[in-house]
Amino acid sequence: MSYCCECNGANEPKVIEKTLFNLLATCEKNENLLKAYMLDFFVEKHWDILPQKWTKVLEKLSPEELGHWVLYPELYNSYSDVWPLSLLALRSTVQHLSLERQPLKENWSKPPLGFRQSCPHRDFLFKSKEEPLNKKLFSKHIKPKKFHEIEIMAQMTANCASRLGCEFVIDIGSGLGHLGRILAFHHGLQVCCLEEQRCLTEKAKKIDEQLIRCLKKIENEKKPPVHINKSIHSALNKDELIKILMDAFGLESETKLKFGLVGLHPCGDLGPTLMRLLTNCENAVFLNLVGCCYMKMADQNNGEDIQGYPMSGFVQHHPQNILSYEAREVSCHALEMYCDRLKNGCVDDLKVHCYRAALECILVERMPELKHSGLKSIKHVQEMSFEKYAVEAVEKLKIKLPACDLDTDDVKEKLSRWMRVVIFYSLRLLVAPLVEAVILLDRLLYMDEKGMNAMLIPAFDPRFSPRNHILVALKEKQSSQTCD
């Protein structure tokens, strides 16, 4: 099968390869930031790895100024101090190489890197259905953030299915089935939801039944989604998947099964698994994928035959292609939300990293074997004293810390340095988008290498959904029309 050609210009594979080359070089140059654990801030003396010229300027900033500088670098011109060129160069590099994160809708005047002006109808992804979605009906049991994602993902999925003449959609890692429910009952697609956890599958079926009772009152007779309890692993045989789907949809002939794949924040290697299913299975014709939990992907360090990163041949053969676990973990953090808290002066909320780092120091000094132990997750830390936080946090370890260890002059001195912890964490968040850009562009190049017509779309509000890029890949026959 031949696929739609791509427009020449800034999104050619060679340009993306050059960007990836620069991204990987920048990540390696800033490895000291990307590989640092925040809980080791005091144990490993992270503050000392920063150039003194940087710390001299950064320590003079208020939290509000720091938040503005990380997100809006042009603001540094308003500060009277002379900024180190190396720090300004880093901020400029990040701004230049990061993927666009603001939602891209119908404004195609300057498509960002990774967006392909596909031929011939480049606006098809956001075309709305004539009949508006009954939000009151479909938003039950869903938090506003999740509904924001699902509504957009469902519309784009329905548009891809319509474009390719496809009536079947497979939602992998479907959870409670909210996305599949909108695709089935609102967009009229036949949907199969595959979910590993049986408790979620059973609850999804109950929500379906509740919705069907409501829809009967408005004479909606569309088919409900089919829910199947199934774990999708990286070595899944495509014939096994086809058999599952034919049974789910009651089909007798495989030739009638033409389906799209969707994954809304599948964890770790599940995203790359969906990409391989698309490229290896002839019946699969499109994929809409939003990644998540990049640190859980298998990489070359795991010795796995099937890797989640790197995927493209270009990155696999690049000498600087290593992304540490810590780097991939910080790339999943919420940059915009954190900077908003800085800009709003919510400093009490930001001290949790300092509390955790100070507690780690105490644990390592008394019981080195407990280094990097998982502690109890504590809510409302900003309302607690350090002593109360420490006592509750170690409950999971079933140990009791002496009260005298929690109220020393050394501990008080560390806690007074909380702004240094905030600054260091902000610098890590500053470079974190470079790591995600490497991972997403690696996936995009993989699709290129497999002959797919693929795009990266910043679709969600990053303040609601920090992982907001949808990888759209289509098996689309070459059009006789020319590109715009």
Side-chain angles (χ1 to χ4, degrees), residues 87-212:
L87 184 55
L88 297 182
L90 173 62
R91 187 61 190 83
S92 179
T93 300
V94 170
Q95 186 179 26
H96 177 68
L97 293 178
S98 298
L99 297 177
E100 174 61 57
R101 289 180 55 76
Q102 293 309 307
L104 181 70
K105 294 186 178 178
E106 293 81 4
N107 180 17
W108 311 111
S109 57
K110 291 183 179 180
L113 183 69
F115 174 73
R116 308 301 182 79
Q117 300 184 68
S118 55
C119 329
H121 306 297
R122 65 193 189 195
D123 60 345
F124 80 95
L125 287 170
F126 292 98
K127 183 179 179 181
S128 298
K129 187 175 180 179
E130 291 183 5
E131 178 188 349
L133 177 67
N134 187 331
K135 295 184 179 182
K136 184 177 180 180
L137 193 63
F138 284 98
S139 64
K140 292 180 180 178
H141 313 286
I142 311 177
K143 293 180 180 179
K145 165 193 174 296
K146 194 68 177 178
F147 189 75
H148 166 75
E149 299 167 351
I150 289 171
E151 185 178 14
I152 295 172
M153 188 71 153
Q155 185 64 68
M156 292 181 67
T157 299
N159 290 344
C160 288
S162 175
R163 183 179 176 88
L164 298 176
C166 167
E167 61 177 309
F168 299 102
V169 173
I170 320 305
D171 183 5
I172 309 290
S174 55
L176 293 175
H178 298 309
L179 174 59
R181 208 165 286 117
I182 293 179
L183 289 171
F185 290 119
H186 180 67
H187 293 286
L189 294 164
Q190 295 193 55
V191 182
C192 179
C193 296
L194 300 181
E195 169 56 47
E196 180 179 17
Q197 297 185 52
R198 184 175 298 278
C199 61
L200 297 181
T201 301
E202 295 303 318
K203 190 170 182 180
K205 291 177 181 178
K206 292 181 180 179
I207 297 175
D208 284 353
E209 293 170 0
Q210 295 172 4
L211 183 59
I212 289 171

Side-chain angles (χ1 to χ4, degrees), residues 242-459:
I242 294 297
K243 177 66 168 60
I244 293 171
L245 299 180
M246 289 184 66
D247 290 344
F249 294 125
L251 300 176
E252 296 180 357
S253 172
E254 182 181 330
T255 58
K256 294 183 179 180
L257 182 60
K258 181 180 178 183
F259 63 87
L261 294 161
V262 295
L264 182 55
H265 296 141
C267 187
D269 285 324
L270 186 52
T273 295
L274 299 190
M275 294 170 62
R276 292 188 176 98
L277 282 175
L278 176 69
T279 60
N280 296 330
C281 184
E282 296 177 357
N283 300 72
V285 294
F286 75 85
L287 168 68
N288 283 349
L289 172 67
V290 184
C292 183
C293 301
Y294 303 131
M295 64 285 190
K296 296 182 180 180
M297 297 187 301
D299 60 17
Q300 58 268 64
N301 294 324
N302 298 107
E304 299 284 348
D305 293 331
I306 300 177
Q307 300 173 358
Y309 169 86
M311 296 191 68
S312 68
F314 175 82
V315 178
Q316 284 179 10
H317 294 97
H318 194 285
Q320 299 170 318
N321 66 7
I322 302 297
L323 293 177
S324 67
Y325 175 93
E326 297 88 347
R328 287 180 281 139
E329 192 272 337
V330 77
S331 73
C332 294
H333 289 204
L335 172 64
E336 286 83 4
M337 283 189 278
Y338 189 81
C339 287
D340 282 349
R341 290 160 74 186
L342 283 172
K343 291 187 293 180
N344 293 330
C346 301
V347 295
D348 288 339
D349 295 346
L350 305 176
K351 294 181 180 180
V352 61
H353 287 123
C354 187
Y355 274 20
R356 180 63 184 90
L359 178 56
E360 182 72 5
C361 236
I362 296 171
L363 290 173
V364 170
E365 288 173 2
R366 276 195 155 268
M367 294 158 278
E369 69 278 8
L370 294 180
K371 184 176 182 178
H372 293 179
S373 294
L375 303 185
K376 179 182 176 181
S377 179
I378 308 294
K379 294 182 179 180
H380 310 299
V381 175
Q382 69 275 14
E383 300 173 5
M384 293 183 176
S385 66
F386 173 72
E387 292 85 348
K388 181 175 175 58
Y389 161 80
V391 169
E392 291 194 21
V394 299
E395 284 180 359
K396 187 177 178 181
L397 302 179
K398 297 182 179 180
I399 63 173
K400 187 173 182 180
L401 295 172
C404 59
D405 283 359
L406 305 178
D407 192 31
T408 66
D409 290 341
D410 181 61
V411 168
K412 292 176 180 177
E413 193 275 335
K414 286 181 172 61
L415 296 177
S416 71
R417 300 291 187 180
W418 65 269
M419 189 59 192
R420 287 186 174 184
V421 181
V422 168
I423 291 169
F424 191 84
Y425 182 64
S426 298
L427 288 174
R428 293 190 75 222
L429 285 186
L430 174 67
V431 296
L434 301 183
V435 179
E436 184 170 34
V438 169
I439 294 168
L440 294 180
L441 291 178
D442 171 54
R443 293 180 176 186
L444 189 66
L445 273 188
Y446 172 83
M447 287 301 184
D448 274 341
E449 293 167 0
K450 296 297 183 180
M452 300 290 160
N453 178 16
M455 296 173 280
L456 282 171
I457 310 293

Side-chain angles (χ1 to χ4, degrees), residues 73-92:
E74 64 277 3
L75 197 67
Y76 74 78
N77 292 324
S78 64
Y79 302 142
S80 57
D81 287 76
V82 177
W83 284 66
L85 288 178
S86 56
L87 184 55
L88 297 182
L90 173 62
R91 187 61 190 83
S92 179

